[in-house]
RNA sequence: GGGGCCGUGGGGUAGCUUGGUAUCCUACGGGCUUUGGGAGCCUGAGACUCCGGUUCAAAUCCGGACGGCCCCA
């Protein structure tokens, strides 16, 4: 196994193959074959997301993958932001299509013509929907599993509101949703308001959730966008107000992808392999029987008990592998909690527990398993969050001048907000502006030009 | 966008300079045996990315396609 700190890129690739998350041999560039274990983790991430947004009254929908050229090509900056990375379907069988069809790169242009039909009056607002689907982007930069791919597993929420204030309140609610999701995935982050030249095409403004991987490069793991009326004016989404007049709706979106999985792999993994947050572990508890009389029955009994309290548990009863092999195997796959049972445990009515991210083994009484196991899973999650926060803090550096931009990681510094100063920083340090740090009111002199600026975050990003 | 490196069983590789029999590790099937931190022995199956060229003969040399990796903008 590669060394994670020294050789992050190689380590990352290797663990994806070893843990059987995806099969990289598919012969079309940028396409990911999800293997059962990887897909299960992603599905668990999706269900956490679903639960969090459902609670806020979002409704799940599913739009078509194909978008007519005329729907996409409403004349404004949205399409120009994507035109270089759209896959086009130009033929049906042997015939050229009368209107070419795009594989959605994101779904605004698919959804908003329908929004225009759905929204009649203020009583239809707010409209809050989401979908979890594949979107397609013809990436020209080199692809990387779960980080830069051409078929993206995409969560996208879209809303429409009567007023800008309502849309702003939605932006705050997104942050509340993200706080819940990120704590279950144990992911630390900054909120950065993207510079105008880097915001989502068509948006009024974009706030990104940025984290950092052990390579020192930042990874955008989520974005929320305020559209104002930019899209509703182009897609004609109007509603009848109480006073009888018409007005355009104000819109927002929220996007995330399998980069969440990339962040989990990169941030929590170690030189033994994956470390999965209990909430997304396909197997939360693995029971390893050490062969002996009565052991297997004892193990299965514990498995049944844990199943009844909805723990994802499995007995590894493979006969052709030694316990030592199984220990290493499941640690590599990131299973949070292991229970060892042998004749010793059977005789004493005990269980031996080993937590993936906490050294040592502890012995508990068999009769207390339904309390001890959930408790251990909580401790594992808390430790993961603490460790991740610590590493994140260790990768954030404060700079007061350009010469301080030397560290591998996120740099915080004052910046006037101009493109010229950001370009200068990029050419001299390879790091570019992720944007102003949201939530900070600190002001000071721009590290480049010396004009009045605000606290911003810089990094080399994926 | 520009430049460089590379494609050999499922994975990792040797062989390529100097053309002729394809190496090892691992994983996989069968058998015996073992099992409290990656056991051992026996045995079996499995590969030169594709298309074209040179040649008596191509994994090896030449051209192209496809795919992968890295660096710079």
């Amino acid at each position: 196994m590669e060394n994670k700190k020294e050789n992050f890129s190689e380590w990352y690739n290797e663990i994806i193959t070893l843990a059987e998350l995806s099969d990289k041999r598919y012969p079309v560039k940028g396409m990911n074959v999800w293997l059962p274990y990887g897909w299960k983790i992603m599905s668990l991430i999706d269900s956490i997301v679903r639960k969090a947004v459902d609670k806020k009254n979002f409704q799940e929908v599913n739009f078509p993958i194909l978008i007519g050229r005329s729907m996409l090509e409403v004349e404004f900056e949205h399409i120009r932001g994507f035109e270089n990375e759209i896959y086009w379907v130009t033929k049906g069988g042997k015939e050229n299509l009368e209107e070419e069809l795009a594989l959605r790169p994101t779904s605004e242009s698919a959804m908003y013509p329908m929004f225009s039909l759905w929204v009649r009056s203020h009583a239809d607002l707010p409209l809050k929907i989401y979908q979890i689907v594949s979107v397609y982007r013809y990436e020209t930069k080199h692809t990387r599993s779960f980080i830069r791919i051409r078929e993206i597993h995409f969560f996208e929420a879209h809303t429409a509101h009567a007023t800008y204030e309502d849309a702003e309140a939605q932006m705050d609610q997104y942050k509340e949703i993200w706080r819940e999701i990120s704590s279950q995935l144990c992911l630390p982050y900054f909120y950065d308001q993207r510079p105008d030249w880097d915001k989502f095409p068509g948006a009024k403004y974009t706030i990104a959730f940025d984290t950092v991987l052990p390579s020192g490069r930042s990874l955008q793991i989520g974005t929320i966008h305020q559209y104002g009326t930019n899209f509703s004016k182009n897609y004609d989404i109007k509603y009848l107000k109480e006073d009888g007049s018409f007005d355009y709706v104000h819109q927002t979106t929220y996007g995330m992808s399998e980069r969440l999985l990339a962040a989990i792999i990169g941030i929590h993994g170690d030189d033994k392999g994956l470390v999965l947050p209990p909430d997304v572990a396909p197997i939360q508890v693995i029971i390893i029987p050490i062969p002996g009389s009565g052991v297997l029955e004892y193990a299965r009994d514990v498995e049944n008990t844990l199943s009844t309290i909805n723990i994802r548990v499995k007995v590894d009863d493979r006969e052709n592998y030694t316990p030592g092999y199984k220990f290493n195997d499941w640690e590599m796959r990131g299973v949070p909690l292991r229970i060892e049972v042998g004749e010793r445990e059977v005789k004493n009515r005990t269980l031996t527990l080993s937590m993936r991210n906490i050294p040592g083994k502890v012995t508990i009484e068999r009769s207390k398993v339904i309390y001890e196991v959930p408790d251990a899973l909580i401790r594992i999650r808390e430790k993961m969050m603490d460790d991740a926060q610590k590493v994140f803090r260790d990768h954030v550096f404060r700079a007061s001048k350009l010469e301080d931009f030397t560290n591998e990681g996120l740099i915080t510094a004052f910046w006037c907000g101009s493109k010229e100063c950001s370009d200068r920083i990029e050419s001299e340090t390879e790091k570019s502006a992720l944007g102003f740090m949201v939530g900070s009111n600190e002001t000071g002199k721009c590290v480049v030009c010396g004009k009045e600026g605000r606290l911003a975050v810089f990094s080399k990003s994926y």
Side-chain angles (χ1 to χ4, degrees):
Chain A
M1 172 111 243
E2 289 280 352
N3 184 294
K4 184 189 178 194
K5 281 212 172 79
E6 308 271 315
N7 253 335
F8 178 73
S9 195
E10 288 77 3
W11 174 89
Y12 180 79
N13 279 323
E14 187 180 11
I15 190 58
I16 286 170
T17 301
L18 279 177
E20 299 179 290
L21 304 182
S22 104
D23 194 325
K24 303 204 186 80
R25 295 168 301 181
Y26 192 74
V28 180
K29 185 181 168 71
M31 299 288 140
N32 178 35
V33 176
W34 290 92
L35 294 173
Y37 196 66
W39 184 243
K40 183 75 188 175
I41 299 171
M42 195 64 231
S43 302
L44 287 163
I45 295 172
D46 290 342
S47 38
I48 285 171
V49 172
R50 277 197 181 90
K51 218 181 217 170
V53 293
D54 287 350
K55 236 194 276 180
K56 304 294 186 188
N57 297 314
F58 279 79
Q59 291 189 290
E60 187 166 9
V61 296
N62 199 307
F63 270 72
I65 191 174
L66 294 176
I67 302 173
R69 187 182 267 281
S70 58
M71 297 161 74
L72 199 57
E73 290 191 336
V74 293
E75 215 17 74
F76 86 122
E77 63 195 33
H78 177 58
I79 178 62
R80 289 196 287 281
F82 283 104
E83 63 191 350
N84 289 327
E85 42 187 84
I86 290 177
Y87 281 96
W88 288 102
V89 177
T90 58
K91 284 185 174 182
K94 289 179 178 166
E95 287 176 35
N96 290 324
L97 295 180
E98 205 158 295
E99 183 182 31
E100 294 178 352
L101 301 169
L103 298 189
R104 61 182 164 220
T106 169
S107 299
E108 280 75 5
S109 56
M111 290 180 169
Y112 297 172
M114 301 308 292
F115 275 32
S116 159
L117 300 173
W118 293 346
V119 175
R120 314 305 301 169
S121 79
H122 64 89
D124 296 322
L125 301 174
L127 175 61
K128 298 166 72 168
I129 61 161
Y130 71 96
Q131 63 180 8
I132 300 177
V133 296
S134 292
V135 299
Y136 299 83
R137 298 180 188 173
Y138 184 76
E139 287 285 353
T140 51
K141 286 182 190 164
H142 107 258
T143 55
R144 200 187 289 271
S145 300
F146 309 138
I147 291 179
R148 176 167 286 114
I149 56 250
R150 289 175 167 182
E151 179 177 51
I152 302 163
H153 180 76
F154 198 49
F155 161 86
E156 51 181 328
H158 296 252
T159 68
H161 307 267
T163 66
Y164 186 71
E165 290 66 42
D166 290 350
E168 282 292 278
Q170 184 57 55
M171 295 293 279
D172 289 337
Q173 188 182 68
Y174 285 147
K175 290 182 192 164
E176 210 179 301
I177 292 167
W178 171 244
R179 265 198 297 282
E180 183 174 334
I181 295 169
S182 61
S183 83
Q184 284 181 271
L185 306 185
C186 308
L187 297 176
Y189 58 92
F190 277 153
Y191 288 128
D192 300 311
Q193 178 158 352
R194 288 278 182 266
D196 274 352
W197 60 84
D198 204 21
K199 68 187 183 187
F200 183 82
K204 219 169 145 66
Y205 70 85
T206 289
I207 291 173
F209 317 153
D210 291 312
T211 192
V212 64
L213 297 190
S215 57
R217 292 171 71 175
S218 65
L219 184 70
Q220 171 183 306
I221 48 180
T223 45
I224 56 179
H225 312 286
Q226 169 64 266
Y227 290 168
T229 55
N230 289 357
F231 282 84
S232 60
K233 282 180 175 161
N234 282 284
Y235 284 95
D236 197 38
I237 313 171
K238 284 186 297 209
Y239 71 101
L240 188 59
K241 296 164 83 164
E242 288 174 71
D243 66 9
S245 64
F246 282 96
D247 208 350
Y248 290 107
V249 298
H250 295 259
Q251 292 178 272
T252 73
T253 56
Y254 179 178
M256 293 188 292
S257 72
E258 62 269 78
R259 281 187 164 203
L260 291 174
L261 174 56
I264 289 169
I265 297 167
I267 289 169
H268 302 307
D270 61 22
D271 287 350
K272 289 175 169 178
L274 292 180
V275 181
L276 294 175
D279 289 314
V280 303
I283 298 170
Q284 296 171 303
V285 178
I286 187 73
I287 303 175
I288 311 286
I290 289 107
S293 83
V295 166
L296 209 52
E297 295 72 19
Y298 188 73
R300 291 210 189 287
D301 187 48
V302 174
E303 181 187 32
N304 284 333
T305 304
L306 290 173
S307 293
T308 62
I309 56 166
N310 294 318
I311 301 282
R312 293 186 289 273
V313 57
K314 181 183 159 79
V315 176
D316 185 351
D317 56 5
R318 292 177 291 178
E319 287 175 2
N320 42 341
Y321 293 100
T322 62
Y325 178 91
K326 293 175 182 176
F327 294 167
N328 287 287
D329 194 39
W330 294 109
E331 281 168 0
M332 184 272 289
R333 294 182 144 81
V335 173
L337 184 63
R338 178 177 75 233
I339 299 180
E340 301 170 21
V341 297
E343 286 184 339
R344 218 155 55 206
E345 285 79 4
V346 174
K347 180 162 154 264
N348 302 328
R349 303 294 297 170
T350 59
L351 296 167
T352 299
L353 269 51
S354 168
M355 291 174 252
R356 177 64 176 82
N357 61 339
I358 301 171
K361 299 182 184 185
V362 292
T363 302
I364 64 159
E365 290 174 34
R366 163 67 180 87
S367 59
K368 293 186 179 153
V369 70
I370 62 167
Y371 309 108
E372 298 276 4
V373 164
D375 191 57
L377 291 176
I378 290 169
R379 285 212 303 285
I380 290 165
R381 179 166 106 177
E382 286 170 350
K383 177 84 167 20
M384 287 181 74
M385 192 74 220
D386 286 351
D387 289 347
Q389 295 279 13
K390 214 172 292 165
V391 173
F392 186 76
R393 280 197 297 273
D394 288 347
H395 277 90
V396 178
F397 305 92
R398 186 65 176 258
S400 54
K401 51 186 188 304
L402 264 185
E403 293 72 47
D404 299 339
F405 277 56
T406 49
N407 289 301
E408 293 282 312
L410 304 174
I411 308 285
T412 61
F414 291 117
W415 174 49
C416 65
S418 76
K419 182 94 163 71
E420 293 70 40
C421 291
S422 169
D423 285 348
R424 170 91 185 280
I425 290 168
E426 187 164 2
S427 68
E428 293 194 13
T429 72
E430 289 195 327
K431 296 180 197 295
S432 59
L434 297 179
F436 289 120
M437 192 186 285
V438 176
S440 161
N441 294 317
E442 284 188 73
T443 55
K445 304 239 175 286
C446 174
V447 287
V448 181
C449 67
K451 284 186 204 145
E452 198 59 18
R454 290 163 52 204
L455 196 63
V457 185
F458 299 84
S459 76
K460 188 171 176 184
S461 56
Y462 275 107

